Amino acid sequence: MNVSSTFKLNNGNEIPVIALGSWDSRGDEAYQACLDALSAGYRHIDTAAYYENESLVGAAVRDCEIPREEIFVTSKMWYEDMVEGKQEAAFEKTLKELGLEYVDMYLLHWPINDVKGSWKVLEKYYEQGLIKNIGVSNFRPKHLKQLEVTANIAPAVDQIEICPFLVQEETVNYCQEHDIVVEAWGPLGKGKQLSEPEIVAIAKKYNKTPAQIILRWHLQRGIVSLPKSVHKERIIQNADIFDFELSKEDMQIMMSMDLRESTGRGYPEQYEY
């Protein structure tokens, strides 16, 4: 495997196993980070309407001189737009901001407001080819079960917060049992886990950085990780996880670090756990 390797989605399409996350990236820094990632071999960039940087991501995709069909771009519909009369405009604004003819993956950002109606809108654009794959974000099993009742198309992915302090075993198992690829936002736990003695010790054992150990842990769980960085050297390092394999014992050590707590990124008040 390498940075452009893929997992198979439930519709037969493929998704690169690692992406550049872009939460809180702004201006020239965000644009350059995307170019640096693409130059380093990344073929997957994650953004969202809420991040207010879709235009920068789109510009980098257009300017990088890599064929468009080789790049996987994800964006998301913010929950305040998930109400009747706003959903279509929200997606069309995303497409305009990106400056692209289609989006590779489009997600419902939270299981809040008109989830069923918003999903129908995603299905419509999927059938039209403007969205190549549709999925959800921050959905737990109960949310997925509720969506399943009225959905004609199953979500291809569920993007949730995952890190060694929040392993999300229940949701990961549910998704993988139902052929939904799991993506991890905040895969490094906002950096809080990089100094954990157990992870530092494992990193020394494999002659890797703590970040590389955590990202390899995600990969071996079959999870797409979305590490965010605007620093070229870290972007490159984050992709250098394909020349080693964690032992079952080390994987279990990291699974046992679960505290079942968020890193504090501010879930909406309306979110039901």
Side-chain angles (χ1 to χ4, degrees):
M1 297 183 75
N2 56 51
V3 67
S4 60
S5 293
T6 60
F7 290 142
K8 182 87 68 173
L9 296 170
N10 56 21
N11 60 1
N13 293 336
E14 297 183 344
I15 185 170
V17 299
I18 191 168
L20 177 71
S22 67
W23 159 247
D24 208 28
S25 296
R26 298 285 187 271
D28 292 343
E29 203 172 52
Y31 171 78
Q32 189 59 50
C34 291
L35 289 180
D36 289 340
L38 292 167
S39 177
Y42 287 70
R43 291 297 179 265
H44 185 179
I45 300 177
D46 182 88
T47 183
Y50 184 70
Y51 302 171
E52 298 182 344
N53 60 15
E54 290 172 312
S55 63
L56 301 166
V57 170
V61 170
R62 297 192 306 273
D63 294 347
C64 69
E65 299 184 354
I66 296 169
R68 170 67 184 95
E69 62 272 15
E70 295 181 14
I71 304 175
F72 195 99
V73 178
T74 295
S75 193
K76 312 173 190 74
M77 181 184 293
W78 187 239
Y79 72 89
E80 292 177 336
D81 292 321
M82 290 170 53
V83 295
E84 187 175 356
K86 287 189 175 183
Q87 297 111 321
E88 288 88 352
F91 172 70
E92 289 168 10
K93 182 180 179 183
T94 280
L95 206 58
K96 182 177 180 181
E97 288 288 320
L98 289 169
L100 303 175
E101 294 183 357
Y102 63 89
V103 179
D104 297 274
M105 178 72 73
Y106 196 58
L107 312 178
L108 300 184
H109 209 143
W110 294 93
I112 298 172
N113 292 330
D114 183 14
V115 172
K116 294 178 181 178
S118 300
W119 188 252
K120 292 299 180 185
V121 172
L122 266 60
E123 290 180 332
K124 178 182 72 173
Y125 287 118
Y126 174 79
E127 291 167 354
Q128 293 176 359
L130 295 175
I131 305 172
K132 300 300 182 182
N133 308 277
I134 55 178
V136 296
S137 182
N138 300 302
F139 278 50
R140 297 184 185 274
K142 72 171 187 177
H143 304 125
L144 292 165
K145 291 174 184 176
Q146 290 167 356
L147 179 60
E148 181 182 353
V149 174
T150 58
N152 293 321
I153 302 170
V157 307
D158 187 7
Q159 184 181 125
I160 57 177
E161 182 183 13
I162 309 176
C163 62
F165 286 175
L166 185 66
V167 305
Q168 297 270 32
E169 193 163 15
E170 178 188 4
T171 302
V172 170
N173 288 344
Y174 182 89
C175 287
Q176 292 180 342
E177 288 168 3
H178 290 81
D179 204 18
I180 299 171
V181 170
V182 178
E183 295 184 306
W185 63 259
L188 301 177
K190 293 181 70 175
K192 291 182 179 180
Q193 280 119 81
L194 299 182
S195 59
E196 279 297 304
E198 290 173 308
I199 293 178
V200 170
I202 294 173
K204 289 181 179 178
K205 175 179 175 181
Y206 292 91
N207 195 29
K208 290 290 183 177
T209 68
Q212 289 168 335
I213 294 298
I214 294 173
L215 294 173
R216 180 70 198 190
W217 172 76
H218 286 290
L219 179 67
Q220 288 182 215
R221 294 183 70 195
I223 295 170
V224 175
S225 57
L226 287 68
K228 178 258 179 177
S229 181
V230 294
H231 303 288
K232 184 176 182 178
E233 66 278 8
R234 291 180 190 167
I235 290 171
I236 294 171
Q237 281 183 352
N238 287 342
D240 186 18
I241 61 171
F242 299 97
D243 59 350
F244 73 106
E245 183 174 350
L246 295 172
S247 68
K248 291 181 179 180
E249 293 76 15
D250 291 330
M251 287 290 293
Q252 188 54 46
I253 287 173
M254 295 179 67
M255 290 293 292
S256 69
M257 296 175 66
D258 189 18
L259 299 177
R260 298 187 178 183
E261 65 180 28
S262 167
T263 56
R265 289 201 175 196
Y267 287 61
E269 291 182 4
Q270 302 94 321
Y271 183 67
E272 296 181 5
Y273 287 87

